Amino acid sequence: MNRRSHVALAAAIAASLTLGLGACSSTGGSTGGDGGQAGVTTQGNGIIGGTPVKGGTLTILSNQDFDQLDPARNWTMPVMDVGVRLLYRTLTTFKAAPGADGLKAEPDLATDLGTPSDGAKTWTFHLKDGLKYEDGTPIVADDIKYNVERSFSAELAGGPDYAARYLAGTDGYQGPLGGQRLGKDSIEVPDTKTIVFHLKRPVAEFSQTVTLPTFSPVPVAKETGANYSNHPVSSGPYKIESYDRGKRMVLVRNTNWDAASDTVRKAYPDKIVVDQTLKGTGIADRLIADQGDDKNAISYVDLTPAKMSEVLTNPDVKSRLVSENGGCTTMLDMNTTKAPFDNAKVRQAMQFAVDKESFAAAMGGPAFNDIATTYLPPALTSGAPVDHFMTKPAGDPDKAKQLLSEAGFPNGFDTEMITSTGGKQQAEAIQAALKRVGVNVTITTVDPTAVNSIVGDKDKQPGLAQLGWCPDYPSAATFLPMIYDGRQIRDKGNNGNMTRFNDPAVNAELDRIAAMDDLQKANAAWLDLDAKIMDASPAVPLVWQKKPLLVGSNVAGAFGSPIWSAQIDYATIGLKSVK
């Protein structure tokens, strides 16, 4: 998530790894288990089905509604993939390609990747000619400024907070809904096609920061506040024809989108239908059977663990499995403001109490997950995983009991845990492991779209939550600052730092590393800080997952994006043939 002096680090990672990098938070386990590289079909360039043809209807089969399509609030995967690839464009975006090529930023609404000045504290972007919204009105630079301003609004909480972190002159700013706009010391719009960002500090990777949906345009005249998510005004290749929340969304072509100005999105299908009424096993059954219109369908959600063997033992089905490493860390988050997790020794005990092996089995088994041993995924630690506590994958109950006794809880304690409906089996694995050391966990399951809002509310947040984090783009700085900077915590609408961990020494170190201009020293400093936070243990890293997604036999252009947490990249998906 920010990259600053880490451009070279990211380039080195991109060149040396095939691991995927995702974006933002994840509601760990919300969609089921994971697939392994054994399921990947590599057809020349790693794209299943080859190049699509123009036309036809693509169906996306899902078991959940989108939590937020408002670009100021869209910060979860795979919803961001839908928003940024289908409905709205950003100043820059990432290339639609598998592997290392997909980690490269390209101009989108902007003519180039931006021009830095003042030591990378000022960034200037110029818009392309002829850009229009779905209704034919022109897209202007002030529309992008307006959406950036919207990200400051408490009423529109939950989205990427880079603007608040990076922009100068924003202290006390509460967003534009009351009519207040940011001044020229934050964002200048000298004309309809130029936007200039003034930052608090140098951010060398800002050209990648503006790939996020915060930096897409929203016309002031179409503002509907919290209801904007129901119909964001399209600047991308598709527009919403109908949206019955939790049931069905239909996208049709945005005839005012100009393919000549967009080198990334190919917009192959004429129509995209998202069916949100299904269950995970039902989605898998339909795609395995591959009958009728399901040949033109793809899964929005991960293949459920119960269907793994059925897929991997059938060559025809296996050839339609997209499965790439998501580059994300699934974690057991502890509410550090709620007893007994306000006690660091209790939190350390959890590192040894959890049975990660059992948790991984509930996520599909060792072929589909790597045991996570630190917060930063291997993609952000030069490709090699770091094992901080050197504990066994099944845990060390004796060590956990010892730490609990030292913390004043020799008989354990009772606590609550929240997870999504799809994460119940994994939560039960945690529950069973903690029971071994006298910790009694009551599990509450909720709809996947409700997890973050509950955990983000201090008054509602329980002691434990099964969540995770993915880097927004390939930089180690897009991980730790986003989930452990205590200065970003909110009582309500909290996002990112869900553990509410607030250590002044860690906050100071985040700032110190942010100011570094030596890439190697900065990289080493991130690793050292990762270890320091592991000692404080606001969360237990559980697994590094792969993402298994089935597609129909008539689907083409399918691959796991290295940016979108290994989700299928919707920029280039389509059909092999149209009857």
Side-chain angles (χ1 to χ4, degrees):
M1 306 212 224
N2 66 73
R3 179 130 55 169
R4 186 193 43 259
S5 57
H6 287 18
V7 175
L9 168 63
I13 291 172
S16 63
L17 302 178
T18 58
L19 295 171
L21 292 169
C24 62
S25 63
S26 62
T27 53
S30 64
T31 53
D34 262 349
Q37 290 294 348
V40 174
T41 295
T42 302
Q43 299 184 3
N45 57 1
I47 299 175
I48 291 176
T51 302
V53 298
K54 204 83 170 178
T57 298
L58 175 74
T59 301
I60 300 175
L61 304 178
S62 179
N63 64 356
Q64 59 191 270
D65 194 4
F66 306 118
D67 57 352
Q68 279 296 338
L69 286 176
D70 185 328
R73 311 179 74 179
N74 187 348
W75 206 15
T76 57
M77 286 302 301
V79 188
M80 193 185 297
D81 187 11
V82 173
V84 171
R85 292 317 215 186
L86 301 178
L87 292 173
Y88 29 81
R89 298 173 65 180
T90 46
L91 282 171
T92 66
T93 193
F94 285 98
K95 186 175 181 178
D101 281 349
L103 301 175
K104 299 175 181 177
E106 293 191 354
D108 192 359
L109 292 175
T111 58
D112 55 27
L113 295 179
T115 302
S117 57
D118 189 24
K121 290 176 66 178
T122 298
W123 282 80
T124 302
F125 296 87
H126 301 283
L127 300 189
K128 295 173 181 174
D129 294 331
L131 300 171
K132 296 179 182 179
Y133 290 109
E134 62 180 81
D135 62 0
T137 58
I139 295 170
V140 296
D142 189 64
D143 296 341
I144 296 170
K145 178 184 178 182
Y146 180 69
N147 191 41
V148 173
E149 293 169 337
R150 296 173 79 245
S151 71
F152 287 82
S153 301
E155 304 95 321
L156 305 176
D161 60 357
Y162 289 92
R165 291 172 182 268
Y166 289 171
L167 286 177
T170 61
D171 291 347
Y173 183 61
Q174 299 297 315
L177 299 186
Q180 184 181 7
R181 306 293 303 275
L182 285 173
K184 292 183 178 180
D185 54 342
S186 301
I187 306 177
E188 290 184 82
V189 182
D191 55 58
T192 59
K193 293 179 61 179
T194 305
I195 186 166
V196 183
F197 298 94
H198 297 285
L199 312 182
K200 299 174 184 176
R201 62 170 178 81
V203 181
E205 75 279 11
F206 195 69
S207 61
Q208 301 192 42
T209 304
V210 297
T211 62
L212 294 168
T214 312
F215 299 91
S216 63
V218 169
V220 179
K222 297 300 177 84
E223 178 66 80
T224 55
N227 292 322
Y228 191 75
S229 181
N230 296 329
H231 193 135
V233 181
S234 176
S235 54
Y238 295 93
K239 62 181 180 180
I240 296 175
E241 180 181 72
S242 62
Y243 184 13
D244 187 357
R245 297 210 61 157
K247 296 181 180 179
R248 180 182 174 92
M249 182 172 77
V250 178
L251 301 179
V252 294
R253 291 192 183 279
N254 171 12
T255 56
N256 283 297
W257 169 76
D258 183 4
S261 72
D262 192 339
T263 60
V264 175
R265 300 167 188 83
K266 301 306 179 185
Y268 289 115
D270 290 332
K271 180 184 291 187
I272 298 175
V273 176
V274 184
D275 185 343
Q276 301 174 328
T277 64
L278 308 171
K279 294 187 180 298
T281 52
I283 294 171
D285 287 339
R286 285 175 56 170
L287 289 171
I288 290 170
D290 194 43
Q291 299 295 310
D293 289 341
D294 288 341
K295 294 181 179 181
N296 303 331
I298 63 175
S299 178
Y300 181 76
V301 298
D302 297 4
L303 183 68
T304 56
K307 295 295 179 180
M308 289 294 180
S309 60
E310 190 174 347
V311 170
L312 295 180
T313 56
N314 185 326
D316 289 338
V317 180
K318 180 180 175 181
S319 70
R320 297 187 278 111
L321 176 64
V322 179
S323 182
E324 297 289 350
N325 193 297
C328 309
T329 305
T330 299
M331 292 175 271
L332 177 64
D333 279 0
M334 291 171 272
N335 182 351
T336 61
T337 66
K338 188 180 185 71
F341 299 112
D342 55 351
N343 186 321
K345 190 149 285 188
V346 169
R347 300 196 301 266
Q348 290 170 0
M350 297 301 99
Q351 300 282 1
F352 296 91
V354 170
D355 182 349
K356 299 180 184 181
E357 205 168 55
S358 175
F359 182 88
M363 294 291 285
F368 312 118
N369 298 272
D370 293 324
I371 299 297
T373 49
T374 191
Y375 300 130
L376 291 176
L380 301 181
T381 58
S382 300
V386 176
D387 192 344
H388 184 71
F389 285 115
M390 302 295 290
T391 190
K392 297 176 182 177
D396 186 343
D398 292 337
K399 177 68 172 178
K401 289 178 181 178
Q402 175 192 333
L403 289 168
L404 285 174
S405 182
E406 293 174 5
F409 296 90
N411 300 316
F413 55 87
D414 297 339
T415 190
E416 298 178 33
M417 177 180 179
I418 190 170
T419 189
S420 67
T421 49
K424 185 178 180 182
Q425 185 178 358
Q426 297 94 305
E428 289 173 343
I430 292 171
Q431 182 186 50
L434 297 189
K435 183 72 173 178
R436 301 179 302 177
V437 300
V439 176
N440 301 306
V441 179
T442 299
I443 299 171
T444 299
T445 59
V446 299
D447 186 89
T449 61
V451 174
N452 280 354
S453 62
I454 294 172
V455 180
D457 187 329
K458 188 175 182 180
D459 293 335
K460 298 178 181 178
Q461 183 176 359
L464 298 173
Q466 181 188 322
L467 297 170
W469 194 257
C470 314
D472 280 321
Y473 47 85
S475 166
T478 67
F479 205 98
L480 297 180
M482 313 313 294
I483 56 176
Y484 295 128
D485 187 337
R487 296 160 296 189
Q488 302 299 320
I489 299 170
R490 300 178 183 179
D491 284 350
K492 292 190 177 183
N494 193 40
N495 200 36
N497 189 346
M498 296 305 221
T499 63
R500 299 185 181 273
F501 176 72
N502 189 5
D503 184 330
V506 169
N507 297 341
E509 184 65 1
L510 292 171
D511 292 342
R512 187 185 75 85
I513 301 173
M516 285 185 173
D517 56 8
D518 186 302
L519 299 180
Q520 290 185 339
K521 289 182 179 179
N523 190 31
W526 286 123
L527 294 177
D528 289 344
L529 182 57
D530 190 38
K532 180 176 181 178
I533 300 174
M534 282 288 292
D535 285 336
S537 294
V540 179
L542 297 170
V543 294
W544 294 311
Q545 300 174 246
K546 296 181 177 69
K547 177 172 280 294
L549 298 161
L550 275 178
V551 304
S553 61
N554 193 40
V555 169
F559 63 90
S561 169
I563 288 296
W564 310 118
S565 303
Q567 185 74 15
I568 292 171
D569 194 328
Y570 295 136
T572 56
I573 195 76
L575 305 180
K576 289 181 183 178
S577 64
V578 178
K579 296 179 180 179

